[in-house]
Amino acid sequence: MTNRKTWARDALISLLLAAGYMLIFAYNNTPLGAATALAKGYAPYTEIFDHKGPLLFLLQLLPQAVSGGYSLTAVFIQETLVLFACLMMMRAIAKELDVCPWAAQLVYMAMTCAFMD
């Protein structure tokens, strides 16, 4: 296979891994799950407790601005694209270290499960 076809195949697999992972483990923001407190109109830090910093809310501003309001689907897409970018970086690092890219990606996703609550 040519390098371009190999890269496209690897990118597609990484995108599918990211989407599958987010559907299963990001249950607060998946379109298949229940709405979060923010989606119900509660204000962060005053009406709900959240130990995350304000950067989280700034990051979620972009998909909300694009979708015209709070949208679990827009946040899910943003998070999936960011995970996809991380998986592609893991793939590149693994190839440089002569490690199986799929194993590196799976280990990366397994390690992040602890942070998905």
Side-chain angles (χ1 to χ4, degrees):
M1 254 194 261
T2 66
N3 284 343
R4 190 175 186 146
K5 285 183 181 180
T6 301
W7 185 91
R9 183 200 65 205
D10 291 347
L12 178 62
I13 292 170
S14 295
L15 182 60
L16 292 174
L17 281 172
Y21 177 88
M22 293 304 294
L23 281 170
I24 294 168
F25 293 107
Y27 52 86
N28 285 331
N29 289 333
T30 177
L32 304 178
T36 63
L38 290 175
K40 295 178 183 175
Y42 291 98
Y45 307 120
T46 57
E47 297 176 319
I48 60 170
F49 171 76
D50 196 337
H51 57 73
K52 297 171 188 78
L55 181 59
L56 172 71
F57 301 107
L58 292 175
L59 286 173
Q60 290 188 346
L61 177 67
L62 178 64
Q64 291 175 34
V66 170
S67 67
Y70 191 84
S71 167
L72 288 176
T73 303
V75 173
F76 170 78
I77 290 170
Q78 178 193 27
E79 290 177 344
T80 300
L81 290 176
V82 170
L83 179 59
F84 167 70
C86 290
L87 291 177
M88 291 303 289
M89 284 188 267
M90 286 300 300
R91 177 188 165 276
I93 292 169
K95 287 184 92 167
E96 286 294 319
L97 297 174
D98 206 22
V99 175
C100 176
W102 308 120
Q105 289 177 332
L106 291 174
V107 167
Y108 175 80
M109 289 188 301
M111 292 176 66
T112 61
C113 284
F115 305 113
M116 295 303 291
D117 185 22

PDB file of all heavy atoms in Angstrom, residues 15-39:
ATOM      1  N   LEU A  15     -10.059   7.192  14.098  1.00  0.00           N
ATOM      2  CA  LEU A  15     -11.307   7.935  14.266  1.00  0.00           C
ATOM      3  C   LEU A  15     -12.411   7.030  14.796  1.00  0.00           C
ATOM      4  O   LEU A  15     -13.174   7.415  15.691  1.00  0.00           O
ATOM      5  CB  LEU A  15     -11.726   8.582  12.945  1.00  0.00           C
ATOM      6  CG  LEU A  15     -12.991   9.442  12.985  1.00  0.00           C
ATOM      7  CD1 LEU A  15     -12.823  10.597  13.966  1.00  0.00           C
ATOM      8  CD2 LEU A  15     -13.313   9.960  11.598  1.00  0.00           C
ATOM      9  N   LEU A  16     -12.492   5.810  14.277  1.00  0.00           N
ATOM     10  CA  LEU A  16     -13.495   4.866  14.761  1.00  0.00           C
ATOM     11  C   LEU A  16     -13.218   4.467  16.212  1.00  0.00           C
ATOM     12  O   LEU A  16     -14.157   4.337  17.012  1.00  0.00           O
ATOM     13  CB  LEU A  16     -13.537   3.629  13.866  1.00  0.00           C
ATOM     14  CG  LEU A  16     -14.064   3.869  12.448  1.00  0.00           C
ATOM     15  CD1 LEU A  16     -13.922   2.613  11.599  1.00  0.00           C
ATOM     16  CD2 LEU A  16     -15.503   4.344  12.476  1.00  0.00           C
ATOM     17  N   LEU A  17     -11.951   4.286  16.573  1.00  0.00           N
ATOM     18  CA  LEU A  17     -11.597   4.002  17.960  1.00  0.00           C
ATOM     19  C   LEU A  17     -12.022   5.157  18.871  1.00  0.00           C
ATOM     20  O   LEU A  17     -12.589   4.937  19.939  1.00  0.00           O
ATOM     21  CB  LEU A  17     -10.087   3.777  18.093  1.00  0.00           C
ATOM     22  CG  LEU A  17      -9.536   2.426  17.685  1.00  0.00           C
ATOM     23  CD1 LEU A  17      -8.011   2.452  17.692  1.00  0.00           C
ATOM     24  CD2 LEU A  17     -10.039   1.343  18.625  1.00  0.00           C
ATOM     25  N   ALA A  18     -11.741   6.383  18.443  1.00  0.00           N
ATOM     26  CA  ALA A  18     -12.092   7.557  19.249  1.00  0.00           C
ATOM     27  C   ALA A  18     -13.601   7.662  19.425  1.00  0.00           C
ATOM     28  O   ALA A  18     -14.092   7.893  20.534  1.00  0.00           O
ATOM     29  CB  ALA A  18     -11.535   8.824  18.598  1.00  0.00           C
ATOM     30  N   ALA A  19     -14.346   7.493  18.350  1.00  0.00           N
ATOM     31  CA  ALA A  19     -15.807   7.603  18.439  1.00  0.00           C
ATOM     32  C   ALA A  19     -16.391   6.489  19.310  1.00  0.00           C
ATOM     33  O   ALA A  19     -17.255   6.749  20.159  1.00  0.00           O
ATOM     34  CB  ALA A  19     -16.422   7.565  17.040  1.00  0.00           C
ATOM     35  N   GLY A  20     -15.914   5.275  19.134  1.00  0.00           N
ATOM     36  CA  GLY A  20     -16.398   4.166  19.954  1.00  0.00           C
ATOM     37  C   GLY A  20     -16.083   4.368  21.425  1.00  0.00           C
ATOM     38  O   GLY A  20     -16.922   4.151  22.302  1.00  0.00           O
ATOM     39  N   TYR A  21     -14.872   4.801  21.705  1.00  0.00           N
ATOM     40  CA  TYR A  21     -14.456   5.060  23.084  1.00  0.00           C
ATOM     41  C   TYR A  21     -15.334   6.138  23.708  1.00  0.00           C
ATOM     42  O   TYR A  21     -15.791   5.996  24.844  1.00  0.00           O
ATOM     43  CB  TYR A  21     -12.991   5.484  23.082  1.00  0.00           C
ATOM     44  CG  TYR A  21     -12.454   5.847  24.446  1.00  0.00           C
ATOM     45  CD1 TYR A  21     -11.909   4.875  25.262  1.00  0.00           C
ATOM     46  CD2 TYR A  21     -12.467   7.156  24.896  1.00  0.00           C
ATOM     47  CE1 TYR A  21     -11.396   5.188  26.503  1.00  0.00           C
ATOM     48  CE2 TYR A  21     -11.963   7.490  26.137  1.00  0.00           C
ATOM     49  CZ  TYR A  21     -11.425   6.503  26.939  1.00  0.00           C
ATOM     50  OH  TYR A  21     -10.924   6.821  28.169  1.00  0.00           O
ATOM     51  N   MET A  22     -15.562   7.217  22.989  1.00  0.00           N
ATOM     52  CA  MET A  22     -16.359   8.323  23.534  1.00  0.00           C
ATOM     53  C   MET A  22     -17.811   7.894  23.741  1.00  0.00           C
ATOM     54  O   MET A  22     -18.448   8.320  24.704  1.00  0.00           O
ATOM     55  CB  MET A  22     -16.278   9.543  22.619  1.00  0.00           C
ATOM     56  CG  MET A  22     -14.886  10.169  22.559  1.00  0.00           C
ATOM     57  SD  MET A  22     -14.196  10.637  24.150  1.00  0.00           S
ATOM     58  CE  MET A  22     -15.318  11.928  24.633  1.00  0.00           C
ATOM     59  N   LEU A  23     -18.352   7.082  22.861  1.00  0.00           N
ATOM     60  CA  LEU A  23     -19.723   6.610  23.046  1.00  0.00           C
ATOM     61  C   LEU A  23     -19.862   5.751  24.295  1.00  0.00           C
ATOM     62  O   LEU A  23     -20.878   5.803  24.987  1.00  0.00           O
ATOM     63  CB  LEU A  23     -20.185   5.818  21.823  1.00  0.00           C
ATOM     64  CG  LEU A  23     -20.607   6.639  20.619  1.00  0.00           C
ATOM     65  CD1 LEU A  23     -20.806   5.737  19.402  1.00  0.00           C
ATOM     66  CD2 LEU A  23     -21.855   7.435  20.900  1.00  0.00           C
ATOM     67  N   ILE A  24     -18.833   4.976  24.591  1.00  0.00           N
ATOM     68  CA  ILE A  24     -18.907   4.065  25.726  1.00  0.00           C
ATOM     69  C   ILE A  24     -18.528   4.739  27.040  1.00  0.00           C
ATOM     70  O   ILE A  24     -19.233   4.613  28.041  1.00  0.00           O
ATOM     71  CB  ILE A  24     -17.992   2.842  25.488  1.00  0.00           C
ATOM     72  CG1 ILE A  24     -18.528   2.020  24.320  1.00  0.00           C
ATOM     73  CG2 ILE A  24     -17.884   1.981  26.749  1.00  0.00           C
ATOM     74  CD1 ILE A  24     -17.564   0.964  23.822  1.00  0.00           C
ATOM     75  N   PHE A  25     -17.433   5.497  27.046  1.00  0.00           N
ATOM     76  CA  PHE A  25     -16.885   5.989  28.306  1.00  0.00           C
ATOM     77  C   PHE A  25     -17.234   7.433  28.639  1.00  0.00           C
ATOM     78  O   PHE A  25     -17.178   7.819  29.799  1.00  0.00           O
ATOM     79  CB  PHE A  25     -15.367   5.810  28.327  1.00  0.00           C
ATOM     80  CG  PHE A  25     -14.961   4.371  28.350  1.00  0.00           C
ATOM     81  CD1 PHE A  25     -14.426   3.782  27.229  1.00  0.00           C
ATOM     82  CD2 PHE A  25     -15.146   3.608  29.484  1.00  0.00           C
ATOM     83  CE1 PHE A  25     -14.067   2.452  27.241  1.00  0.00           C
ATOM     84  CE2 PHE A  25     -14.799   2.270  29.506  1.00  0.00           C
ATOM     85  CZ  PHE A  25     -14.250   1.690  28.380  1.00  0.00           C
ATOM     86  N   ALA A  26     -17.573   8.248  27.678  1.00  0.00           N
ATOM     87  CA  ALA A  26     -17.922   9.648  27.965  1.00  0.00           C
ATOM     88  C   ALA A  26     -19.432   9.762  28.098  1.00  0.00           C
ATOM     89  O   ALA A  26     -20.087  10.504  27.391  1.00  0.00           O
ATOM     90  CB  ALA A  26     -17.392  10.565  26.864  1.00  0.00           C
ATOM     91  N   TYR A  27     -19.978   9.017  29.038  1.00  0.00           N
ATOM     92  CA  TYR A  27     -21.433   8.902  29.125  1.00  0.00           C
ATOM     93  C   TYR A  27     -22.120  10.209  29.515  1.00  0.00           C
ATOM     94  O   TYR A  27     -23.309  10.356  29.315  1.00  0.00           O
ATOM     95  CB  TYR A  27     -21.822   7.785  30.079  1.00  0.00           C
ATOM     96  CG  TYR A  27     -21.181   7.873  31.437  1.00  0.00           C
ATOM     97  CD1 TYR A  27     -21.741   8.631  32.437  1.00  0.00           C
ATOM     98  CD2 TYR A  27     -20.009   7.191  31.696  1.00  0.00           C
ATOM     99  CE1 TYR A  27     -21.148   8.716  33.676  1.00  0.00           C
ATOM    100  CE2 TYR A  27     -19.409   7.270  32.929  1.00  0.00           C
ATOM    101  CZ  TYR A  27     -19.977   8.034  33.921  1.00  0.00           C
ATOM    102  OH  TYR A  27     -19.380   8.118  35.143  1.00  0.00           O
ATOM    103  N   ASN A  28     -21.386  11.186  30.050  1.00  0.00           N
ATOM    104  CA  ASN A  28     -22.026  12.476  30.366  1.00  0.00           C
ATOM    105  C   ASN A  28     -22.226  13.339  29.133  1.00  0.00           C
ATOM    106  O   ASN A  28     -23.085  14.210  29.123  1.00  0.00           O
ATOM    107  CB  ASN A  28     -21.202  13.249  31.391  1.00  0.00           C
ATOM    108  CG  ASN A  28     -21.336  12.677  32.774  1.00  0.00           C
ATOM    109  OD1 ASN A  28     -22.353  12.095  33.112  1.00  0.00           O
ATOM    110  ND2 ASN A  28     -20.300  12.819  33.576  1.00  0.00           N
ATOM    111  N   ASN A  29     -21.428  13.138  28.106  1.00  0.00           N
ATOM    112  CA  ASN A  29     -21.521  13.980  26.916  1.00  0.00           C
ATOM    113  C   ASN A  29     -21.887  13.220  25.654  1.00  0.00           C
ATOM    114  O   ASN A  29     -21.921  13.797  24.584  1.00  0.00           O
ATOM    115  CB  ASN A  29     -20.195  14.720  26.681  1.00  0.00           C
ATOM    116  CG  ASN A  29     -19.967  15.788  27.712  1.00  0.00           C
ATOM    117  OD1 ASN A  29     -20.906  16.328  28.285  1.00  0.00           O
ATOM    118  ND2 ASN A  29     -18.721  16.085  27.978  1.00  0.00           N
ATOM    119  N   THR A  30     -22.142  11.951  25.762  1.00  0.00           N
ATOM    120  CA  THR A  30     -22.511  11.201  24.572  1.00  0.00           C
ATOM    121  C   THR A  30     -23.959  11.505  24.180  1.00  0.00           C
ATOM    122  O   THR A  30     -24.802  11.714  25.047  1.00  0.00           O
ATOM    123  CB  THR A  30     -22.324   9.680  24.798  1.00  0.00           C
ATOM    124  OG1 THR A  30     -22.757   9.001  23.624  1.00  0.00           O
ATOM    125  CG2 THR A  30     -23.124   9.183  25.971  1.00  0.00           C
ATOM    126  N   PRO A  31     -24.251  11.543  22.912  1.00  0.00           N
ATOM    127  CA  PRO A  31     -25.641  11.736  22.486  1.00  0.00           C
ATOM    128  C   PRO A  31     -26.551  10.591  22.930  1.00  0.00           C
ATOM    129  O   PRO A  31     -27.757  10.731  22.941  1.00  0.00           O
ATOM    130  CB  PRO A  31     -25.544  11.787  20.957  1.00  0.00           C
ATOM    131  CG  PRO A  31     -24.134  12.038  20.640  1.00  0.00           C
ATOM    132  CD  PRO A  31     -23.318  11.531  21.791  1.00  0.00           C
ATOM    133  N   LEU A  32     -25.958   9.463  23.323  1.00  0.00           N
ATOM    134  CA  LEU A  32     -26.751   8.327  23.761  1.00  0.00           C
ATOM    135  C   LEU A  32     -27.110   8.398  25.241  1.00  0.00           C
ATOM    136  O   LEU A  32     -27.912   7.626  25.726  1.00  0.00           O
ATOM    137  CB  LEU A  32     -25.978   7.019  23.505  1.00  0.00           C
ATOM    138  CG  LEU A  32     -25.525   6.781  22.070  1.00  0.00           C
ATOM    139  CD1 LEU A  32     -24.742   5.482  21.975  1.00  0.00           C
ATOM    140  CD2 LEU A  32     -26.707   6.757  21.135  1.00  0.00           C
ATOM    141  N   GLY A  33     -26.502   9.332  25.979  1.00  0.00           N
ATOM    142  CA  GLY A  33     -26.701   9.412  27.429  1.00  0.00           C
ATOM    143  C   GLY A  33     -27.642  10.520  27.846  1.00  0.00           C
ATOM    144  O   GLY A  33     -28.241  11.216  27.034  1.00  0.00           O
ATOM    145  N   ALA A  34     -27.751  10.684  29.164  1.00  0.00           N
ATOM    146  CA  ALA A  34     -28.629  11.709  29.723  1.00  0.00           C
ATOM    147  C   ALA A  34     -27.962  13.078  29.640  1.00  0.00           C
ATOM    148  O   ALA A  34     -26.744  13.196  29.553  1.00  0.00           O
ATOM    149  CB  ALA A  34     -28.931  11.366  31.175  1.00  0.00           C
ATOM    150  N   ALA A  35     -28.764  14.115  29.702  1.00  0.00           N
ATOM    151  CA  ALA A  35     -28.257  15.490  29.665  1.00  0.00           C
ATOM    152  C   ALA A  35     -27.545  15.817  30.968  1.00  0.00           C
ATOM    153  O   ALA A  35     -27.891  15.307  32.022  1.00  0.00           O
ATOM    154  CB  ALA A  35     -29.407  16.455  29.438  1.00  0.00           C
ATOM    155  N   THR A  36     -26.561  16.681  30.898  1.00  0.00           N
ATOM    156  CA  THR A  36     -25.828  17.091  32.091  1.00  0.00           C
ATOM    157  C   THR A  36     -26.503  18.295  32.725  1.00  0.00           C
ATOM    158  O   THR A  36     -27.447  18.866  32.183  1.00  0.00           O
ATOM    159  CB  THR A  36     -24.384  17.459  31.717  1.00  0.00           C
ATOM    160  OG1 THR A  36     -24.425  18.587  30.840  1.00  0.00           O
ATOM    161  CG2 THR A  36     -23.671  16.307  31.039  1.00  0.00           C
ATOM    162  N   ALA A  37     -25.989  18.692  33.887  1.00  0.00           N
ATOM    163  CA  ALA A  37     -26.552  19.844  34.601  1.00  0.00           C
ATOM    164  C   ALA A  37     -26.440  21.118  33.761  1.00  0.00           C
ATOM    165  O   ALA A  37     -27.332  21.957  33.775  1.00  0.00           O
ATOM    166  CB  ALA A  37     -25.855  20.019  35.939  1.00  0.00           C
ATOM    167  N   LEU A  38     -25.350  21.253  33.024  1.00  0.00           N
ATOM    168  CA  LEU A  38     -25.197  22.444  32.177  1.00  0.00           C
ATOM    169  C   LEU A  38     -26.273  22.488  31.095  1.00  0.00           C
ATOM    170  O   LEU A  38     -26.788  23.548  30.764  1.00  0.00           O
ATOM    171  CB  LEU A  38     -23.813  22.474  31.527  1.00  0.00           C
ATOM    172  CG  LEU A  38     -22.646  22.736  32.461  1.00  0.00           C
ATOM    173  CD1 LEU A  38     -21.337  22.607  31.713  1.00  0.00           C
ATOM    174  CD2 LEU A  38     -22.766  24.096  33.089  1.00  0.00           C
ATOM    175  N   ALA A  39     -26.597  21.340  30.553  1.00  0.00           N
ATOM    176  CA  ALA A  39     -27.629  21.286  29.524  1.00  0.00           C
ATOM    177  C   ALA A  39     -28.989  21.660  30.086  1.00  0.00           C
ATOM    178  O   ALA A  39     -29.865  22.109  29.353  1.00  0.00           O
ATOM    179  CB  ALA A  39     -27.686  19.897  28.902  1.00  0.00           C
TER     180      ALA A  39
END
